Amino acid sequence: RRCGFPEVIFGEGKPAATIATIFDRLLAAQVRCLATRISEEKADLLRAHFASRKNPTARYNSLASTFRVDPHDAPPLERKGRVTVITAGTSDLAVADEARETLDWMGINVHTINDVGVAGPHRLPARLPEFVGSDAIVCVAGMEAALPSIVGGYVDCPVIGVPTSVGYGANFGGIAALLSMLNSCAANVTVVNINAGFKGGYLAGMIASKLHDARQRPQ
Amino acid sequence: RRCGFPEVIFGEGKPAATIATIFDRLLAAQVRCLATRISEEKADLLRAHFASRKNPTARYNSLASTFRVDPHDAPPLERKGRVTVITAGTSDLAVADEARETLDWMGINVHTINDVGVAGPHRLPARLPEFVGSDAIVCVAGMEAALPSIVGGYVDCPVIGVPTSVGYGANFGGIAALLSMLNSCAANVTVVNINAGFKGGYLAGMIASKLHDARQRPQ
Amino acid sequence: RRCGFPEVIFGEGKPAATIATIFDRLLAAQVRCLATRISEEKADLLRAHFASRKNPTARYNSLASTFRVDPHDAPPLERKGRVTVITAGTSDLAVADEARETLDWMGINVHTINDVGVAGPHRLPARLPEFVGSDAIVCVAGMEAALPSIVGGYVDCPVIGVPTSVGYGANFGGIAALLSMLNSCAANVTVVNINAGFKGGYLAGMIASKLHDARQRPQ
Amino acid sequence: RRCGFPEVIFGEGKPAATIATIFDRLLAAQVRCLATRISEEKADLLRAHFASRKNPTARYNSLASTFRVDPHDAPPLERKGRVTVITAGTSDLAVADEARETLDWMGINVHTINDVGVAGPHRLPARLPEFVGSDAIVCVAGMEAALPSIVGGYVDCPVIGVPTSVGYGANFGGIAALLSMLNSCAANVTVVNINAGFKGGYLAGMIASKLHDARQRPQ
Amino acid sequence: RRCGFPEVIFGEGKPAATIATIFDRLLAAQVRCLATRISEEKADLLRAHFASRKNPTARYNSLASTFRVDPHDAPPLERKGRVTVITAGTSDLAVADEARETLDWMGINVHTINDVGVAGPHRLPARLPEFVGSDAIVCVAGMEAALPSIVGGYVDCPVIGVPTSVGYGANFGGIAALLSMLNSCAANVTVVNINAGFKGGYLAGMIASKLHDARQRPQ
Amino acid sequence: RRCGFPEVIFGEGKPAATIATIFDRLLAAQVRCLATRISEEKADLLRAHFASRKNPTARYNSLASTFRVDPHDAPPLERKGRVTVITAGTSDLAVADEARETLDWMGINVHTINDVGVAGPHRLPARLPEFVGSDAIVCVAGMEAALPSIVGGYVDCPVIGVPTSVGYGANFGGIAALLSMLNSCAANVTVVNINAGFKGGYLAGMIASKLHDARQRPQ
Amino acid sequence: RRCGFPEVIFGEGKPAATIATIFDRLLAAQVRCLATRISEEKADLLRAHFASRKNPTARYNSLASTFRVDPHDAPPLERKGRVTVITAGTSDLAVADEARETLDWMGINVHTINDVGVAGPHRLPARLPEFVGSDAIVCVAGMEAALPSIVGGYVDCPVIGVPTSVGYGANFGGIAALLSMLNSCAANVTVVNINAGFKGGYLAGMIASKLHDARQRPQ
Amino acid sequence: RRCGFPEVIFGEGKPAATIATIFDRLLAAQVRCLATRISEEKADLLRAHFASRKNPTARYNSLASTFRVDPHDAPPLERKGRVTVITAGTSDLAVADEARETLDWMGINVHTINDVGVAGPHRLPARLPEFVGSDAIVCVAGMEAALPSIVGGYVDCPVIGVPTSVGYGANFGGIAALLSMLNSCAANVTVVNINAGFKGGYLAGMIASKLHDARQRPQ
Ligand SMILES: Nc1ncnc2c1ncn2[C@@H]1O[C@H](COP(=O)(O)O)[C@@H](O)[C@H]1O
Ligand SMILES: Nc1ncnc2c1ncn2[C@@H]1O[C@H](COP(=O)(O)O)[C@@H](O)[C@H]1O
Ligand SMILES: Nc1ncnc2c1ncn2[C@@H]1O[C@H](COP(=O)(O)O)[C@@H](O)[C@H]1O
Ligand SMILES: Nc1ncnc2c1ncn2[C@@H]1O[C@H](COP(=O)(O)O)[C@@H](O)[C@H]1O
Ligand SMILES: [Mg+2]
Ligand SMILES: [Mg+2]
Ligand SMILES: [Mg+2]
Ligand SMILES: [Mg+2]
Ligand SMILES: [Mg+2]
Ligand SMILES: [Mg+2]
Ligand SMILES: [Mg+2]
Ligand SMILES: [Mg+2]
């Protein structure tokens, strides 16, 4: 297990049969499984596969395009840490939900706050109590992607910006949002690839997990 | 006089002698003069020129790189309208001051608010009373240029975004700020060229001037 | 109501059911509604929805891809201000009509002039009487997008350039038109995003509306 | 002699001594010589060289950065054809003058029209008689570079657009002007490299020269 | 008739009915008609339209995507001038044929030479007699687009480069070919937009036509 | 104090006098000060300033271009956490040292490992014991910037990639390194702006600091 | 036969019938044939064609999208040289297999090593014995494309990098991988076009073939 | 010694003292030394250093910007293999000479052919006997960089294209040449970074060296 977490399958370009085979191997080793970028078609095939194996834990999230399946007798997952996923608009939800699913699979406590983009300047401050105190924040935004800079000004934890390709015209498939986040004047904002919900969630979860462990096992 | 205002000289690439000649012609026609993008060297030559002509109104603004000179006996300029120029950071001041000088020359009442960028999220709301109620706002910002979107959410007047080339690395000479403003989710934000303080001021001044006239001369 | 006008729905990426729900809420609050970027399929669903509610005001504009619906008993809208929408060619009409629908919904008097691009240099001057005197002009153009610069030279009001992605090859999805407008040598030209007919119309309407109000209520 | 005209030296990156040697060889072969992109420093060295050779025809054009020198006893050049060089603004003059010098050296009748850019829409039509009837037109423009499209609409001869790097911000060293010309909706506009005054002049001169010859030697 | 030739319809984005209407108007005025960028579907509709009008001259070229139709009783077109269209590879044929159709419609004598790209260095020299002596050459090439530079070195007439989007990877939809042609070291090479077969043909035809007229009507 | 740490001055574009004034104010408030992007010239002026104030703690790092100064009687800084700064080559040292200075100023234990880029594949594994177990890693690399991906594969902590503009040709001022890091296949790699040593250090320090506190104050 | 090998057909954009005709001609001349970029549809038509000609050697590789066919009675191909094809991940396999098929058709001994990208840093060193000693290496990688730099550090033969368009977001269709390889700090890494498996294989095969010949026929 | 050759120092950004120290260490180990990207200033310091050490082999090549120094008593270098370095124009000479110096230092027989670019189509074929039969060819070209494609068509050995930043306007610092070479239709052309004369020479030398060894030591 790399980085303290079982492998995640990047589903794009892999046939459902290949994914099922990898999952079977991981499940046999008692690993909880996650695959990202799974289309509806592949999900149907995977669902059929795990139905035939009588594994009732298989589940597809069509918003996040993720597929999850646990070993038959996996014990309930103990939750740890605290990450908030914040979106600028409803169109950013699919990417944000890939982050949320990743965090959930890592066993992190996740809270999500949607549609608090800068166009409504009173919306974000109104929800401060919900995200101040997070171990890390995943901030998902397209278009001008001003949100991470503003969130970064309110908190003293790492803010991981996930630019999305939401928008049209001069947003150039997410370049506008990516450049905006890279040039953020807030010192606690860092950036991952365009639409990389998985990576944003993974990094936030890694930070929260380590903080949780440090709190449990003091030096 | 184009667009209701006397011509403004774009000083870049024009020798001081050429600019002096154009100014002399305009002054003879009783026109108040403005030149932008004037270096210290050219300013010295222009100052000497107008000293020799005994015109005491010649003045250079080294921050804005603008040069102004009025006809000897120009009457005091009656002020009209109300425009606010807002900057994200102190590094945007040179571009903002080109906008302010342009508005001043147009006879518009200008107020400036500096260094209220998003890194300090409480700074802008604290100054709302100073800019709510403007006829138009010029918003000057570099780096991620989130400011116009936020200003746009607080007011019901046109916000003219002037992206600046302030920043480094992936700001690419102002492209990051330009794209950010073009993709603003605030519907009242429009954009001019990178570092185009003159254009931002001119457009805001044109709107304020027309509103002033409409108020004076009702239908 | 932000910016003095009721909210407009950006329809791209929102299911018809979601749009219908927002519309119902706005109509209950006596708000006239506009949604942009509505496909034929979504329009059919929305039409059925409002037919079942017996609201006869629901109407779809398939050129502009806009959907409008008013409260059952909305009083006739009093018209104010004057905006002209000018296109370079017939291929720019869809974007221009999004601007026109937005202005119409704002209650602004709109006049449109089509296909007066620079390829026919006598066409624009022949129609000067139709647009000189506008409160603001929306200028929609693709390809080399020379039109706003020329229109800007004839008038003394703000010209809002809307670059379109019309063209092929080195137009790069509207970048050529966007850069052309940003570099306009006319001081009264400002720019919005590629294909952003809504934003162009909204800004022009805001200026016209404020001028109308100033004329009615002199200081 | 390539393309029917003696070789032209591209001076950038070549030492003055190298250029002088090539010139000496060409002069010995009775060829009229032209070098482009010659700095003041190199021009001084070349002037000294030809002074020492007592060739009084050596001459430097510091605006165009061109250097010319003829064989001692070259007969007067008979003029032919008719090309007009048109600039949008005075900042385009250096590039335009490289085109004019090239045409002059080719023995073409050249007429230049300066500063008729689109910002002043009445300036170009006022000078129609000066350029209608040209064999070819070289149109030099920076910023939004709308001029070639408009010129192209008035004439029925080839218009060779030379984009210049004049401007700032989003003109990106001439890319805005280049894209604008490539996307021209006028069918008779073709384009050469940014700042390529030589190439623009050369192509126009080649067309004019062939037309002159065809008129002299009918089939 | 602009530029001495009847109007050509750019078919992309125009419904077949609109094109038919424009054609009917032009035919009534005894104008020979050409439309470019016509899909098979639109061609079927246009063919049916002109069949119903019993005009047997309507013809579609599915390689060039052009549609032609003449007035019923148009006299045979007298051919003039001489243009050669040269392609680098067979994949460039569609763009080249748009150029050839345009030249044919202009009444120019056209000769085409295919698949003589630089990969086979002996192929072009072997065909020199076929293109030396042309009034103008249209050179159509994708990928590295070296052909215009080489053709330009063999002839003393204008070479109009038409970059195509043929290729993959780092050709970026024709940018590689466009930049290659703009940077051609041959002084007689000029460039039009990517895939702009019409424009390449039109310019070459205009030059050939003027040369033909000059030969017929000497001064 | 933003984000739990005193303000850091971005020195680029600010006169030395302005920086001195801000420092004086912070020192009066007992804050340890750091300024980045300080040239040798500004450093001389700052050194003179603090010499005159008899503050012996003022010190300039000419490699990192940073300036530090502490309150006269600041207590020794207690060290906490553990961050490793790793560079690919010696040319990346200036950017890496800005990160190291930032971490030092935050009171973090920093270890640096230089010149372990991928060209020498045995160099990095040989030093594993030095960086495995870090709280966070700052990885500074130019050119192809492969280092963060490889480091990321060896550790289970966040790796913050800082792309540098080191290289030439197709590195485009750091774009190659930036894109390389954004596309890292290692899930624990996140990215800041090109040459943003400060930001890389600040984020790593924030993570290390929070981990240290969690270890000290268990739940 | 150019470059010592029979022509290879680039299948993209060529109808199956055209390809069949070229193959028939080559087969008649006793040439072993290869076509690249062949879709399933074209493969079906080609298979039918060669079935009707009773040539049992026709075979399609749907992973590599290549089609091979030999003369009926071609002697078994004697193998020579040694090339290793290495991929970073399983998504790079299609491009790698185009390289492998090209090498196989050239008669080169090929060995492939898959999925040894940098995310798993122990995977490549573990397989050193398989590729050290190759005549040349083809290294196929997408995303951050760090693999060629690392491979280059282990061997003393040419490494030909083939960037792939595998990835999403800021990989921009393979630009990230291309730039990464061009900026490789390993001196023995050279690059071909994005997804150019054929070219990578061809160059490696040419080097291996020449080395084999040199070993057989010593000076 | 990596790749079978002693290390080469990349001089850009390294102080002369650092380079001298590395050289001293290599010389002590009896290694022949090469440094690239050495300015005149650094060369003076290095020359003084080795004069003081009485090593008469130290030599600077100001065209190539390379510095060489051998151990005092190094035996004469036995020459092997055969590489040709070809340039398109004289402006490409500096980059080509970096390649030539690298090959010379590797002990390879080098021949150079200058100024045979495509503008003079007869120049390259006239010199075929000089480069046919090379083990590898380094082809250095700027502007449209058509040369490698043409050279590639004449030979059956690897052609390593080195794009240069020679040119102006739309060559964008060598991007035009780079893209041109990457899109070469000749299958034996591969590419290194812009201006990377060292890398081009190194790869060609590696191929030639291996071929020489194979010829000497047959299997
Ligand atoms: N949506 C995603 N975006 C980026 N990386 C991913 C994603 N999903 C999985 N991964 C990464 O890809 C690795 C698996 O890649 P693969 O072996 O191709 O399935 C995982 O360990 C993750 O690090
Ligand atoms: N076509 C459009 N282009 C850009 N912005 C739009 C468009 N239509 C609506 N909007 C803006 O989007 C806002 C609503 O966004 P949403 O809440 O996502 O529906 C409106 O208030 C407008 O400011
Ligand atoms: N997949 C490929 N990528 C790049 N070049 C190819 C490819 N397949 C074939 N070629 C080249 O294209 C040439 C044939 O092109 P064509 O004449 O268009 O079939 C061959 O000689 C090869 O050099
Ligand atoms: N001009 C150059 N361009 C690219 N790489 C070079 C150049 N000169 C030297 N190198 C490479 O840089 C390595 C040395 O880098 P460094 O350790 O920074 O001196 C050498 O082994 C070469 O691989
Ligand atoms: Mg929203
Ligand atoms: Mg600030
Ligand atoms: Mg039109
Ligand atoms: Mg002008
Ligand atoms: Mg071919
Ligand atoms: Mg190194
Ligand atoms: Mg993998
Ligand atoms: Mg040359």
Side-chain angles (χ1 to χ4, degrees), chain C residues 29-215:
Chain C
Q30 286 302 102
V31 173
R32 293 171 205 272
C33 300
L34 167 65
T36 64
R37 312 260 161 159
I38 301 296
S39 63
E40 299 274 358
E41 292 70 34
K42 285 187 193 170
D44 286 343
L45 293 167
L46 288 172
R47 255 189 298 244
H49 175 84
F50 290 110
S52 78
R53 310 227 152 192
K54 308 221 184 299
N55 185 328
T57 70
R59 56 209 183 275
Y60 179 59
N61 176 338
S62 65
L63 176 60
S65 299
T66 53
F67 200 95
R68 300 268 298 275
V69 59
D70 300 329
H72 282 88
D73 46 0
L77 196 60
E78 192 194 352
R79 294 283 144 188
K80 55 185 180 173
R82 177 171 172 219
V83 169
T84 311
V85 177
I86 307 181
T87 73
T90 51
S91 331
D92 303 314
L93 273 178
V95 173
D97 217 42
E98 193 187 71
R100 196 196 50 69
E101 276 279 355
T102 302
L103 285 155
D104 183 83
W105 163 84
M106 292 169 95
I108 308 297
N109 297 297
V110 200
H111 177 64
T112 62
I113 302 178
N114 289 325
D115 201 25
V116 291
V118 294
H122 305 295
R123 287 185 287 182
L124 185 72
R127 304 189 67 174
L128 267 173
E130 294 179 48
F131 65 90
V132 167
S134 302
D135 291 334
I137 290 173
V138 180
C139 195
V140 184
M143 302 174 89
E144 84 269 63
L147 196 58
S149 293
I150 301 166
V151 167
Y154 282 117
V155 298
D156 70 343
C157 71
V159 175
I160 298 155
V162 184
T164 69
S165 53
V166 167
Y168 63 88
N171 93 320
F172 302 129
I175 295 182
L178 171 65
L179 295 185
S180 196
M181 290 184 184
L182 284 169
N183 286 284
S184 173
C185 58
N188 51 340
V189 171
T190 181
V191 190
V192 293
N193 200 354
I194 299 165
N195 292 337
F198 162 73
K199 229 177 192 175
Y202 192 84
L203 270 153
M206 177 182 269
I207 293 168
S209 170
K210 282 169 114 27
L211 278 169
H212 172 87
D213 292 352
R215 285 184 209 113

Side-chain angles (χ1 to χ4, degrees), chain D residues 14, chain E residues 185, chain H residues 87-91 115-120 123:
Chain D
K14 297 209 181 70
Chain E
C185 57
Chain H
T87 72
T90 51
S91 330
D115 201 24
V116 292
V118 294
R123 287 184 288 181

Side-chain angles (χ1 to χ4, degrees), chain E residues 117-122 125 128 143-146 149-150 152-154 166-172 175-176 179-186, chain H residues 117-122 125 128 143-146 149-150 152-154 166-172 175-176 179-186:
Chain E
V118 294
H122 304 296
L128 267 173
M143 302 173 88
E144 84 270 62
S149 294
I150 300 166
Y154 282 117
V166 167
Y168 64 87
N171 94 320
F172 301 130
I175 294 182
L179 294 185
S180 195
M181 291 184 183
L182 284 169
N183 285 283
S184 173
C185 57
Chain H
V118 294
H122 304 296
L128 267 173
M143 302 173 87
E144 85 270 63
S149 293
I150 301 167
Y154 282 117
V166 167
Y168 63 88
N171 93 319
F172 302 129
I175 295 182
L179 295 185
S180 196
M181 290 184 184
L182 284 169
N183 285 284
S184 174
C185 57

Side-chain angles (χ1 to χ4, degrees), chain B residues 88-89 115 123:
Chain B
D115 202 24
R123 286 185 288 183

Side-chain angles (χ1 to χ4, degrees), chain D residues 40-57:
Chain D
E40 299 275 358
E41 294 69 35
K42 285 188 195 170
D44 287 343
L45 293 168
L46 287 172
R47 255 190 297 245
H49 175 84
F50 291 109
S52 79
R53 311 227 150 192
K54 309 220 184 302
N55 184 328
T57 69

Side-chain angles (χ1 to χ4, degrees), chain G residues 10-34:
Chain G
F10 181 63
E12 212 164 283
K14 296 208 181 70
T18 307
I19 298 167
T21 306
I22 305 177
F23 272 6
D24 284 343
R25 181 166 45 74
L26 291 167
L27 292 167
Q30 288 301 102
V31 172
R32 290 172 207 273
C33 298
L34 167 64

